[in-house]
Amino acid sequence: MENLKAILKQNGIQVTQQRLDVLRVLKELNTHVTVDDVLAALKDRNINLTVATAYNILNTFEKKNVIMKINTAGEPVIYDVNTHDHIHVCDCETREVQDYDDRELMDLINGYFEKHPIKGVELKRVDVNIIGCIKH
């Protein structure tokens, strides 16, 4: 619990029981989640949270870089608890999202933008999303 509190404090997020509960669930699920996944996991622990409150907490976490949105996955929004540089592969049929870790490719992309900055833009993060039909 102290570790979760420290994560919130380090990211400038006020510590509340609801935020701690959501963060604990995110850390336990450790995957790509929707707000429904979070609410179901909380309900399994007899913790009730409104959809609006869950979205507000997830949006706060995303703004503070505790989690990230996978922007090209469509609706409902999918959040990723892994915020390190990596690529997402989104299945065009099932919307399943897989992480694809390729340090060399991410270094190449980030290096490109260091050499070719976008005028008037302070780059915060580069998201790479690949959309395709995953063969099962």
Side-chain angles (χ1 to χ4, degrees):
M1 181 66 88
E2 290 305 313
N3 184 36
L4 298 177
K5 287 181 183 179
I7 291 170
L8 294 178
K9 289 177 183 177
Q10 289 168 1
N11 288 284
I13 301 171
Q14 182 180 0
V15 176
T16 67
Q17 188 59 51
Q18 291 175 325
R19 289 178 178 147
L20 287 170
D21 291 337
V22 171
L23 185 57
R24 181 181 304 112
V25 163
L26 290 170
K27 293 296 183 183
E28 289 171 2
L29 294 174
N30 193 30
T31 187
H32 306 104
V33 298
T34 65
V35 72
D36 290 337
D37 296 328
V38 172
L39 290 170
L42 289 169
K43 188 174 183 176
D44 287 346
R45 293 160 179 77
N46 295 315
I47 300 169
N48 292 313
L49 208 62
T50 67
V51 173
T53 300
Y55 269 116
N56 287 339
I57 291 170
L58 291 171
N59 286 332
T60 297
F61 287 178
E62 193 264 335
K63 286 178 187 167
K64 298 290 188 167
N65 299 314
V66 174
I67 60 175
M68 63 190 322
K69 279 185 190 176
I70 302 173
N71 293 316
T72 61
E75 293 293 330
V77 174
I78 297 175
Y79 299 91
D80 190 353
V81 299
N82 299 314
T83 58
H84 67 278
D85 277 351
H86 65 285
I87 298 162
H88 292 114
V89 179
C90 304
D91 189 303
C92 61
E93 294 177 4
T94 66
R95 296 191 59 248
E96 175 187 348
V97 177
Q98 298 177 5
D99 286 343
Y100 179 73
D101 287 301
D102 187 323
R103 183 76 260 145
E104 182 181 357
L105 179 56
M106 291 307 299
D107 288 346
L108 181 71
I109 293 167
N110 287 317
Y112 178 87
F113 285 112
E114 286 176 15
K115 292 178 183 172
H116 303 92
I118 302 169
K119 186 176 180 179
V121 174
E122 180 186 346
L123 195 61
K124 298 283 186 190
R125 183 178 82 217
V126 175
D127 292 336
V128 177
N129 298 298
I130 298 170
I131 301 170
C133 296
I134 299 172
K135 297 177 184 177
H136 298 282

